[in-house]
Amino acid sequence: KVIYFHGWDGLGASVVLRSIAEVLPYRKTTPELCFDSVIFIDCSNWKNRRMMQRTIAEELQLDHSVMASLDEQDEEDDFNRVDESSRNEIRNVGKVINQTLRGTKLMMIFLNGSDEEVDVSTFGIPLAIFDNNIVIWTFSRRNHVHSKDALRYTHAFSHFYHSIKEFSWAEFLRLLYQ
């Protein structure tokens, strides 16, 4: 299941998702909130698809050989002067990520800094196969304008019913403080 979280007209979405990532691993007593893996991927400063895959590998604490293959490909791309923004994920690293997560119950929280929705299955996240996994994601603040086409992989949309503009100044300050 893939859930897009928009917040109040985009405001506060990143903060809410960061809070979920901090609290969720400690909710072991609530079975429906108990996940084998909770990974938080902050790509709000988007560089490229490979950097996102590297972040996933780091979050999963994959072994040195996986990280070495990412480093080797980066060095090769540096040597060949491949533009950093066009560096894609590595298929073999995706296979290791998939094998690591296969059969687990995963919650992935993803702050997307790119201009498009990212299909996380291309990085090795086994969402298409295992329906007990959940991804909650949002666009970074600079990308609030998005097309419906960019949300094609998303199953559910979450946003606050009231617009941030409907809050009084005092209510807004309390919300901001919270």
Side-chain angles (χ1 to χ4, degrees), residues 68-120:
S69 66
L70 287 160
D71 292 339
E72 288 171 19
Q73 188 62 53
D74 281 344
E75 287 176 17
E76 184 179 318
D77 286 349
D78 287 343
F79 181 78
N80 293 324
R81 296 184 179 171
V82 174
D83 187 72
E84 191 169 341
S85 65
S86 63
R87 296 179 184 188
N88 289 324
E89 60 274 43
I90 300 171
R91 185 179 307 248
N92 289 338
V93 173
K95 287 180 183 178
V96 173
I97 291 169
N98 188 286
Q99 290 169 351
T100 302
L101 295 173
R102 188 173 291 270
T104 65
K105 187 174 179 185
L106 169 70
M107 163 69 78
M108 179 175 159
I109 300 165
F110 173 41
L111 304 181
N112 183 356
S114 76
D115 292 328
E116 300 172 358
E117 183 184 31
V118 175
D119 177 4
V120 296

Side-chain angles (χ1 to χ4, degrees), residues 57-178:
E58 289 169 353
E59 279 282 316
L60 293 173
Q61 299 176 344
L62 297 180
D63 67 32
H64 178 71
S65 65
V66 172
M67 303 313 287
S69 66
L70 287 160
D71 292 339
E72 288 171 19
Q73 188 62 53
D74 281 344
E75 287 176 17
E76 184 179 318
D77 286 349
D78 287 343
F79 181 78
N80 293 324
R81 296 184 179 171
V82 174
D83 187 72
E84 191 169 341
S85 65
S86 63
R87 296 179 184 188
N88 289 324
E89 60 274 43
I90 300 171
R91 185 179 307 248
N92 289 338
V93 173
K95 287 180 183 178
V96 173
I97 291 169
N98 188 286
Q99 290 169 351
T100 302
L101 295 173
R102 188 173 291 270
T104 65
K105 187 174 179 185
L106 169 70
M107 163 69 78
M108 179 175 159
I109 300 165
F110 173 41
L111 304 181
N112 183 356
S114 76
D115 292 328
E116 300 172 358
E117 183 184 31
V118 175
D119 177 4
V120 296
S121 66
T122 64
F123 297 93
I125 306 292
L127 293 173
I129 301 168
F130 305 101
D131 60 356
N132 60 344
N133 295 324
I134 296 175
V135 172
I136 301 176
W137 73 281
T138 192
F139 277 118
S140 68
R141 198 176 311 237
R142 64 188 166 90
N143 292 319
H144 287 309
V145 178
H146 48 75
S147 68
K148 290 180 183 176
D149 186 50
L151 303 172
R152 67 186 171 274
Y153 298 108
T154 301
H155 303 112
F157 302 89
S158 177
H159 59 86
F160 293 104
Y161 178 71
H162 296 289
S163 171
I164 195 76
K165 297 170 193 161
E166 295 176 25
F167 288 104
S168 70
W169 182 246
E171 290 170 327
F172 176 75
L173 288 178
R174 280 196 307 271
L175 177 67
L176 190 60
Y177 175 76
Q178 197 63 10

